[in-house]
């Protein structure tokens, strides 16, 4: 069944044209795969971003990273910043499984290179994470190498969003978070290019949540009070369990940006930083305990592994035109976050709290809040 996304509710974030799917995979060659783990102990998983179908190590991608707030345990960012290249798929998971996922990505690339007789003496797997301990028994470390390889094997252009893969156990603004994506089309020199974003959302205090320019978080807190009153008045009737909310902005968001724009790693980093604008548009101010980590790559201007091979270079876009890409990155990140929340379903946490999906809440948020009863005299 087709998933309902934020535009299906009549909410259109931004003004720019979207790609065909309105997903990161609108960038030609990019594929997304998930492995979701849901059992008695674990509610977590892995999401893998394949920048292309060929060997990234043999022909590296121009890449950049940006750490907006560093409360995170990602791998591979130092070398991206130093060399400006990506040479493996990007994998997302939970905090305590970063090591296992790193090893699995390394093994995948080594096997790929062995088949192609490409020597591998050094390797920089890129792994991002969010802490999903409120829904997932994270200390059980349920992710295995096989999950990473399964995610790679099933990677496709039309992928699921919400509480799947690395988003299975995440929370956003006290609601159920997850994987979300969006894309924007920009025109340079008479040709269309695409900027796509994928997020793993796990951040935000409920009261700060902004939706379609409205302080929706305040209405959610009012709705929680309504539901709690209903439970007290009808103790035998389950009206949704105890609705969860988030008191503080913590937890992290991983943002992956893909494009086919011919840009340098410096220009790409400038574009990547604008995804923070999209995060802010949802209401977050980037709290102390939240890690906002962004990773970006372009499928243009591939860099060969062997020094004797000539790279296929395109002219870079002119700096004076880059505002179009800035706006596209901000809009796509904003919409990707909302899609991650709308596509996620209601999930019960370890402590029994119920994390609602935004799609389920939207009809309730649009009706007027009941007035408080007048005090008795």
């Amino acid at each position: 069944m087709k998933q309902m996304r934020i535009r299906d509710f009549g909410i259109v974030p931004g003004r720019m044209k979207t790609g065909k799917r309105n997903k990161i995979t609108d960038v030609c060659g990019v594929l997304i795969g998930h492995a979701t783990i849901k059992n008695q102990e674990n509610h977590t998983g892995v999401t893998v971003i394949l920048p292309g179908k060929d060997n990234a190590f043999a022909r590296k991608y121009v890449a950049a990273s940006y750490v907006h707030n560093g409360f995170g345990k990602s791998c591979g960012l130092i070398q991206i910043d130093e060399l400006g290249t990506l040479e493996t798929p990007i994998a997302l998971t939970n905090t305590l499984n970063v090591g296992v996922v790193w090893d699995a990505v390394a093994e995948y690339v080594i096997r790929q290179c062995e088949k192609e007789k490409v020597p591998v003496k050094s390797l920089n797997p890129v792994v991002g994470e969010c802490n999903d301990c409120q829904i997932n028994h994270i200390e059980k470390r349920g992710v295995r190498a096989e999950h990473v390889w399964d995610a790679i094997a099933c990677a496709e252009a039309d992928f699921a969003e919400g509480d799947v893969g690395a988003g299975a156990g995440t929370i956003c603004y006290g609601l159920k978070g997850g994987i979300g994506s969006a894309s924007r089309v920009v025109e340079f020199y008479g040709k269309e290019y695409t900027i796509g974003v994928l997020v793993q959302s796990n951040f935000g205090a409920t009261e700060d949540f902004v939706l379609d320019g409205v302080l929706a978080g305040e209405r959610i807190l009012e709705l929680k009070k309504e539901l709690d009153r209903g439970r007290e008045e009808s103790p035998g009737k389950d009206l949704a369990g105890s609705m969860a909310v988030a008191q503080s902005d913590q937890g992290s968001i991983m943002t992956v940006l893909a494009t086919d724009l011919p840009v340098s790693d410096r220009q790409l980093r400038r574009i990547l930083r604008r995804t923070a604008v999209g995060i802010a548009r949802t209401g977050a101010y980037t709290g102390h305990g939240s890690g906002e980590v962004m990773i970006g790559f372009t499928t243009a201007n591939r860099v060969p592994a062997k020094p004797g091979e000539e790279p296929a270079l395109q002219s870079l876009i002119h700096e004076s035109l880059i505002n179009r890409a800035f706006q596209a990155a901000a809009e796509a990140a904003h919409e990707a976050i909302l899609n991650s929340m709308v596509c996620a379903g209601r999930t019960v946490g370890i402590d029994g709290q119920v994390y609602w999906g935004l799609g389920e809440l939207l009809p309730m948020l649009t009706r007027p809040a009941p007035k408080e009863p007048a005090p008795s005299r």
Side-chain angles (χ1 to χ4, degrees):
M1 191 172 87
K2 182 180 179 292
Q3 287 185 301
M4 294 278 285
R5 307 176 82 206
I6 192 65
R7 290 180 181 240
D8 295 316
F9 293 89
I11 297 172
V12 181
R15 304 189 305 270
M16 301 182 76
K17 177 182 174 182
T18 72
K20 181 180 178 181
R21 298 182 187 87
N22 195 13
K23 293 181 178 181
I24 191 173
T25 47
D26 289 326
V27 179
C28 185
V30 177
L31 300 173
I32 305 299
H34 302 300
T36 306
I37 306 162
K38 293 182 180 180
N39 53 42
Q40 288 186 334
E41 291 189 334
N42 293 112
H43 200 111
T44 190
V46 178
T47 295
V48 175
I49 300 93
L50 296 179
K53 296 180 181 179
D54 62 346
N55 188 338
F57 187 83
R59 294 183 66 236
K60 306 177 195 305
Y61 294 83
V62 172
S65 73
Y66 173 62
V67 179
H68 194 60
N69 194 58
F71 206 121
K73 288 80 180 170
S74 301
C75 287
L77 304 188
I78 294 175
Q79 184 169 310
I80 286 180
D81 288 344
E82 186 68 22
L83 303 183
T85 57
L86 173 71
E87 59 188 27
T88 73
I90 299 168
L92 306 176
T93 190
N94 70 62
T95 306
L96 296 188
N97 273 121
V98 169
V100 169
V101 173
W102 185 100
D103 193 62
V105 173
E107 183 66 24
Y108 166 78
V109 176
I110 289 169
R111 291 178 185 174
Q112 194 178 28
C113 289
E114 285 176 347
K115 289 180 182 178
E116 300 175 13
K117 295 183 170 50
V118 177
V120 181
K121 302 301 180 185
S122 177
L123 188 60
N124 186 50
V126 178
V127 184
E129 55 79 30
C130 286
N131 193 312
D132 57 11
C133 67
Q134 291 176 274
I135 293 177
N136 173 49
H137 286 280
I138 194 169
E139 73 283 359
K140 301 295 184 181
R141 300 204 293 167
V143 177
R144 300 288 180 264
E146 290 76 14
H147 295 122
V148 180
W149 300 332
D150 287 346
I152 293 172
C154 74
E156 57 186 350
D158 195 12
F159 57 94
E161 297 170 279
D163 48 346
V164 294
T170 61
I171 297 162
C172 195
Y173 289 106
L175 307 180
K176 185 66 185 73
I179 299 297
S181 191
S183 70
R184 294 295 185 269
V185 175
V186 292
E187 185 176 310
F188 288 90
Y189 314 111
K191 181 179 177 182
E192 288 189 339
Y193 297 90
T194 303
I195 290 176
V197 169
L198 179 141
V199 300
Q200 177 191 16
S201 65
N202 192 52
F203 70 102
T206 303
E207 67 178 356
D208 296 329
F209 181 45
V210 174
L211 179 65
D212 206 21
V214 176
L215 296 174
E218 295 179 359
R219 179 70 184 104
I220 291 170
L221 294 176
E222 293 170 357
L223 184 60
K224 174 178 168 56
K225 291 179 182 179
E226 293 174 35
L227 292 171
D228 287 345
R229 280 198 297 267
R231 286 170 57 80
E232 291 172 3
E233 293 169 3
S234 306
K237 183 180 178 182
D238 181 13
L239 296 180
S242 179
M243 180 181 178
V245 294
Q247 301 297 333
S248 60
D249 188 349
Q250 60 182 10
S252 304
I253 175 171
M254 288 297 312
T255 304
V256 179
L257 181 147
T259 185
D260 53 4
L261 269 173
V263 288
S264 67
D265 59 298
R266 180 191 60 78
Q267 289 177 318
L268 183 60
R269 189 170 191 269
R270 294 192 72 201
I271 296 168
L272 187 60
R273 286 165 57 190
R274 269 59 184 189
T275 61
V277 176
I279 296 171
R281 286 179 179 176
T282 64
Y285 56 84
T286 309
H288 158 70
S290 187
E292 280 67 27
V293 177
M294 297 87 166
I295 304 166
F297 62 90
T298 175
T299 58
N301 294 341
R302 301 285 294 276
V303 181
K306 296 180 181 179
E309 295 180 10
E310 183 178 354
L313 296 178
Q314 303 178 46
S315 297
L316 304 180
I317 64 169
H318 196 278
E319 213 79 14
S320 65
L321 304 176
I322 204 167
N323 275 354
R324 303 173 199 172
F326 288 170
Q327 183 180 356
E331 285 194 11
H334 180 197
E335 186 164 0
I337 293 166
L338 298 180
N339 281 333
S340 76
M341 299 171 71
V342 164
C343 292
R346 196 192 299 187
T347 305
V348 179
I350 292 172
D351 60 0
Q353 290 273 64
V354 179
Y355 298 95
W356 285 52
L358 179 58
E360 186 180 12
L361 271 180
L362 275 174
M364 302 181 191
L365 296 178
T366 53
R367 72 184 185 217
K371 295 181 179 179
E372 291 288 336
S376 56
R377 296 184 180 180

